[in-house]
Amino acid sequence: MHRAVGAERPAVIAIRPATPGDLDALLRLYVQLSAGNAATDPARTANAFAAMLRTPNLHLLVATVGELVVGTVTVVIVPNLTHNATPWAQLENMVVDETRRGKGVGQQLLRAAVDLAWEAGCYKVQLQSANEREDAHRFYAAFGFAPSSVGFRLYR
Ligand SMILES: CC(C)(COP(=O)(O)OP(=O)(O)OC[C@H]1O[C@@H](n2cnc3c(N)ncnc32)[C@H](O)[C@@H]1OP(=O)(O)O)[C@@H](O)C(=O)NCCC(=O)NCCS
Protein backbone atom coordinates (compact mmCIF):
# COMPACT_ATOMS: atom_id res chain seq x y z
CA MET A 1 0.00 0.00 0.00
CA HIS A 2 1.41 3.40 -0.93
CA ARG A 3 -1.01 6.17 -1.72
CA ALA A 4 -0.64 9.86 -2.38
CA VAL A 5 -3.31 11.80 -0.52
CA GLY A 6 -4.23 15.25 0.74
CA ALA A 7 -4.65 16.98 -2.61
CA GLU A 8 -6.98 19.69 -1.28
CA ARG A 9 -4.87 20.35 1.82
CA PRO A 10 -1.54 22.23 2.04
CA ALA A 11 0.47 19.12 2.91
CA VAL A 12 1.03 16.52 0.18
CA ILE A 13 1.48 13.33 2.11
CA ALA A 14 1.95 9.65 1.41
CA ILE A 15 0.99 6.78 3.69
CA ARG A 16 2.97 3.55 3.86
CA PRO A 17 3.81 0.72 6.25
CA ALA A 18 6.68 1.55 8.61
CA THR A 19 10.12 0.19 7.75
CA PRO A 20 13.14 -0.44 10.04
CA GLY A 21 14.57 3.01 9.29
CA ASP A 22 11.50 4.74 10.76
CA LEU A 23 12.21 3.88 14.40
CA ASP A 24 13.75 7.20 15.48
CA ALA A 25 11.00 9.22 13.80
CA LEU A 26 8.32 7.10 15.46
CA LEU A 27 9.91 7.53 18.88
CA ARG A 28 9.91 11.31 18.37
CA LEU A 29 6.18 11.20 17.58
CA TYR A 30 5.34 8.98 20.56
CA VAL A 31 6.93 11.46 22.94
CA GLN A 32 4.47 14.02 21.55
CA LEU A 33 1.63 11.63 22.34
CA SER A 34 2.82 11.41 25.94
CA ALA A 35 6.10 12.54 27.48
CA GLY A 36 6.06 9.26 29.41
CA ASN A 37 6.71 7.42 26.12
CA ALA A 38 10.39 8.39 26.01
CA ALA A 39 12.33 5.22 25.12
CA THR A 40 14.89 4.57 27.84
CA ASP A 41 16.06 1.09 26.82
CA PRO A 42 17.27 1.10 23.19
CA ALA A 43 17.73 -2.68 22.92
CA ARG A 44 14.26 -3.41 24.30
CA THR A 45 12.77 -0.78 21.99
CA ALA A 46 14.56 -2.16 18.92
CA ASN A 47 13.39 -5.69 19.75
CA ALA A 48 9.79 -4.56 20.17
CA PHE A 49 9.91 -2.65 16.87
CA ALA A 50 11.32 -5.67 15.03
CA ALA A 51 8.59 -7.86 16.55
CA MET A 52 5.92 -5.38 15.43
CA LEU A 53 7.24 -5.31 11.87
CA ARG A 54 7.09 -9.09 11.59
CA THR A 55 3.65 -9.53 13.20
CA PRO A 56 1.28 -10.30 10.32
CA ASN A 57 -1.90 -8.82 11.81
CA LEU A 58 -0.21 -5.67 13.07
CA HIS A 59 0.09 -2.75 10.64
CA LEU A 60 2.19 0.22 11.69
CA LEU A 61 1.39 3.01 9.21
CA VAL A 62 3.36 6.21 8.76
CA ALA A 63 2.41 9.41 6.96
CA THR A 64 5.29 11.10 5.16
CA VAL A 65 6.06 14.44 3.56
CA GLY A 66 8.96 13.64 1.27
CA GLU A 67 11.32 11.58 3.43
CA LEU A 68 9.95 13.03 6.66
CA VAL A 69 7.63 10.95 8.88
CA VAL A 70 4.91 13.31 10.13
CA GLY A 71 2.31 10.96 11.61
CA THR A 72 1.52 7.40 12.54
CA VAL A 73 -1.19 4.99 13.59
CA THR A 74 -1.10 1.29 14.48
CA VAL A 75 -3.84 -1.04 13.24
CA VAL A 76 -4.25 -4.51 14.76
CA ILE A 77 -6.53 -6.96 12.95
CA VAL A 78 -8.01 -9.35 15.52
CA PRO A 79 -9.21 -12.80 14.42
CA ASN A 80 -12.58 -13.49 16.01
CA LEU A 81 -15.22 -16.19 16.59
CA THR A 82 -18.28 -13.99 17.05
CA HIS A 83 -20.06 -12.18 14.20
CA ASN A 84 -19.77 -15.32 12.10
CA ALA A 85 -16.00 -15.45 12.68
CA THR A 86 -15.46 -11.96 11.29
CA PRO A 87 -12.33 -10.08 12.39
CA TRP A 88 -12.32 -6.61 13.94
CA ALA A 89 -9.65 -3.91 14.18
CA GLN A 90 -8.14 -1.92 17.01
CA LEU A 91 -6.42 1.42 16.37
CA GLU A 92 -3.70 2.61 18.73
CA ASN A 93 -0.96 5.22 19.07
CA MET A 94 -2.30 7.75 16.58
CA VAL A 95 -0.27 10.93 16.49
CA VAL A 96 0.55 13.69 14.01
CA ASP A 97 3.64 15.84 14.47
CA GLU A 98 2.68 18.91 16.48
CA THR A 99 3.94 21.28 13.75
CA ARG A 100 1.71 19.60 11.14
CA ARG A 101 -1.64 19.31 12.91
CA GLY A 102 -4.86 20.71 11.52
CA LYS A 103 -3.76 20.18 7.89
CA GLY A 104 -5.56 16.93 7.15
CA VAL A 105 -2.70 14.53 7.90
CA GLY A 106 -4.63 12.82 10.70
CA GLN A 107 -7.79 12.49 8.65
CA GLN A 108 -5.92 10.82 5.78
CA LEU A 109 -4.07 8.50 8.16
CA LEU A 110 -7.35 7.51 9.77
CA ARG A 111 -8.89 6.92 6.32
CA ALA A 112 -5.97 4.62 5.42
CA ALA A 113 -6.29 2.74 8.72
CA VAL A 114 -10.04 2.23 8.33
CA ASP A 115 -9.66 1.20 4.67
CA LEU A 116 -7.04 -1.35 5.72
CA ALA A 117 -9.49 -2.79 8.27
CA TRP A 118 -12.33 -2.99 5.75
CA GLU A 119 -10.01 -4.61 3.19
CA ALA A 120 -9.07 -7.19 5.87
CA GLY A 121 -12.79 -8.01 6.20
CA CYS A 122 -13.33 -6.45 9.62
CA TYR A 123 -16.87 -5.73 10.77
CA LYS A 124 -15.83 -2.86 13.08
CA VAL A 125 -12.94 -0.57 13.90
CA GLN A 126 -12.55 0.60 17.47
CA LEU A 127 -10.18 2.73 19.49
CA GLN A 128 -9.82 4.16 22.96
CA SER A 129 -9.00 7.77 23.64
CA ALA A 130 -8.33 9.17 27.10
CA ASN A 131 -11.17 11.24 28.58
CA GLU A 132 -9.14 14.45 28.58
CA ARG A 133 -8.31 14.32 24.84
CA GLU A 134 -11.35 16.33 23.80
CA ASP A 135 -9.71 17.63 20.58
CA ALA A 136 -9.01 14.07 19.49
CA HIS A 137 -12.60 13.06 20.34
CA ARG A 138 -13.90 15.79 18.01
CA PHE A 139 -11.49 14.58 15.34
CA TYR A 140 -12.74 10.96 15.57
CA ALA A 141 -16.39 12.02 15.73
CA ALA A 142 -15.98 14.21 12.64
CA PHE A 143 -14.73 11.13 10.81
CA GLY A 144 -17.79 9.12 11.86
CA PHE A 145 -16.66 7.27 14.98
CA ALA A 146 -19.34 7.18 17.67
CA PRO A 147 -18.61 7.19 21.42
CA SER A 148 -20.85 4.14 21.73
CA SER A 149 -19.24 2.22 24.59
CA VAL A 150 -17.56 2.84 27.91
CA GLY A 151 -13.90 1.90 27.97
CA PHE A 152 -12.31 0.26 31.00
CA ARG A 153 -8.59 0.02 31.62
CA LEU A 154 -6.58 -1.77 34.24
CA TYR A 155 -2.98 -0.62 34.42
CA ARG A 156 -0.34 -2.83 35.95
C1 LIG B 1 -5.73 14.05 16.92
C2 LIG B 1 -4.73 14.18 15.77
C3 LIG B 1 -4.16 12.80 15.45
C4 LIG B 1 -5.48 14.72 14.55
O1 LIG B 1 -4.53 14.86 13.49
P1 LIG B 1 -4.55 16.20 12.60
O2 LIG B 1 -3.62 15.99 11.48
O3 LIG B 1 -4.34 17.37 13.47
O4 LIG B 1 -6.05 16.14 12.12
P2 LIG B 1 -6.67 16.80 10.79
O5 LIG B 1 -5.89 17.97 10.38
O6 LIG B 1 -6.89 15.72 9.81
O7 LIG B 1 -8.05 17.22 11.36
C5 LIG B 1 -8.04 18.27 12.24
C6 LIG B 1 -9.27 18.20 13.00
O8 LIG B 1 -9.01 17.55 14.22
C7 LIG B 1 -9.26 18.46 15.29
N1 LIG B 1 -7.99 18.59 16.02
C8 LIG B 1 -7.66 17.80 17.04
N2 LIG B 1 -6.48 18.16 17.58
C9 LIG B 1 -6.03 19.20 16.84
C10 LIG B 1 -4.86 20.01 16.91
N3 LIG B 1 -3.94 19.85 17.88
N4 LIG B 1 -4.69 20.98 15.97
C11 LIG B 1 -5.62 21.15 15.03
N5 LIG B 1 -6.75 20.43 14.93
C12 LIG B 1 -6.98 19.46 15.84
C13 LIG B 1 -9.80 19.73 14.75
O9 LIG B 1 -11.14 19.82 15.22
C14 LIG B 1 -9.76 19.60 13.25
O10 LIG B 1 -11.02 19.69 12.68
P3 LIG B 1 -11.25 20.67 11.41
O11 LIG B 1 -10.37 20.17 10.29
O12 LIG B 1 -12.71 20.53 11.13
O13 LIG B 1 -10.85 22.01 11.90
C15 LIG B 1 -3.58 15.15 16.11
O14 LIG B 1 -4.13 16.41 16.40
C16 LIG B 1 -2.70 14.71 17.26
O15 LIG B 1 -1.70 14.03 17.05
N6 LIG B 1 -3.05 15.10 18.49
C17 LIG B 1 -2.23 14.77 19.67
C18 LIG B 1 -2.16 13.29 19.97
C19 LIG B 1 -3.54 12.68 20.13
O16 LIG B 1 -4.39 13.21 20.83
N7 LIG B 1 -3.72 11.50 19.48
C20 LIG B 1 -4.95 10.75 19.61
C21 LIG B 1 -4.84 9.79 20.74
S1 LIG B 1 -6.34 8.89 20.98
Side-chain angles (χ1 to χ4, degrees):
M1 176 184 52
H2 192 283
R3 59 187 98 192
V5 290
E8 77 289 5
R9 299 273 194 161
V12 176
I13 67 166
I15 297 174
R16 60 167 171 79
T19 59
D22 293 324
L23 179 56
D24 288 345
L26 286 165
L27 294 179
R28 281 193 290 275
L29 288 173
Y30 292 147
V31 170
Q32 293 180 23
L33 190 57
S34 163
N37 287 333
T40 52
D41 185 334
R44 182 182 163 95
T45 301
N47 282 342
F49 187 47
M52 290 173 78
L53 294 185
R54 64 174 181 262
T55 299
N57 286 353
L58 190 154
H59 305 272
L60 211 177
L61 301 182
V62 294
T64 59
V65 174
E67 296 296 304
L68 207 60
V69 173
V70 298
T72 184
V73 64
T74 299
V75 186
V76 182
I77 308 294
V78 184
N80 183 38
L81 291 179
T82 62
H83 293 262
N84 197 26
T86 308
W88 58 278
Q90 177 77 27
L91 306 189
E92 185 69 337
N93 292 337
M94 169 131 202
V95 55
V96 170
D97 183 87
E98 56 200 4
T99 66
R100 309 269 179 167
R101 289 177 194 164
K103 294 180 163 57
V105 175
Q107 188 190 53
Q108 299 299 330
L109 253 180
L110 195 52
R111 179 76 266 156
V114 169
D115 285 351
L116 193 158
W118 295 161
E119 284 160 19
C122 292
Y123 77 92
K124 71 174 177 185
V125 179
Q126 70 177 35
L127 59 91
Q128 274 78 46
S129 182
N131 290 338
E132 64 272 18
R133 292 191 188 275
E134 290 173 4
D135 284 351
H137 299 174
R138 279 198 298 279
F139 165 76
Y140 293 125
F143 189 93
F145 281 78
S148 59
S149 67
V150 178
F152 290 86
R153 288 172 172 161
L154 179 65
Y155 287 100
R156 184 175 176 182

